[in-house]
Amino acid sequence: MGGVVVTAAAALAAGYLLGRLRPWQRLGDWAADQIRHAGAWARGGAARQAVVVLVHAVTAPRISWHIMRTPATDTPVPVPVRDPDWVANRTRTDQGGTP
């Protein structure tokens, strides 16, 4: 009888800790961040890419399916042009004022 109580208490404690730590959600967030920010993901090699994609597919199957079905864009994203004199060229709306 005492073993059942200890086992039940251990199971409740483990469930509570898993609920607080949310390892499944954290793993999914990590995979989504790795895919979203392609720098470290692309530099990690084929094995790292395969692990990240597999983790993302397991933790977020709907999003992974949507990503796989979305065609890649052919036009590159334009790089923002940096203005070296941006302080002098700010408008009133950039400074938090009304236009």
Side-chain angles (χ1 to χ4, degrees):
M1 182 69 173
V4 172
V5 173
V6 171
T7 303
L12 287 173
Y16 174 77
L17 286 174
L18 286 175
R20 295 290 291 171
L21 296 175
R22 302 182 323 261
W24 193 255
Q25 182 178 357
R26 289 177 189 261
L27 186 63
D29 291 345
W30 172 82
D33 287 342
Q34 296 301 310
I35 290 174
R36 187 175 302 121
H37 306 293
W41 177 64
R43 287 191 307 265
R48 178 172 163 54
Q49 290 176 0
V51 168
V52 169
V53 169
L54 180 63
V55 168
H56 192 269
V58 169
T59 58
R62 288 185 184 180
I63 295 172
S64 296
W65 183 253
H66 177 72
I67 289 172
M68 287 188 287
R69 294 190 46 90
T70 304
T73 58
D74 292 335
T75 58
V77 177
V79 177
V81 178
R82 304 283 181 188
D83 184 7
D85 201 20
W86 68 273
V87 174
N89 295 331
R90 289 191 301 178
T91 61
R92 288 182 56 108
T93 56
D94 293 337
Q95 298 171 3
T98 57

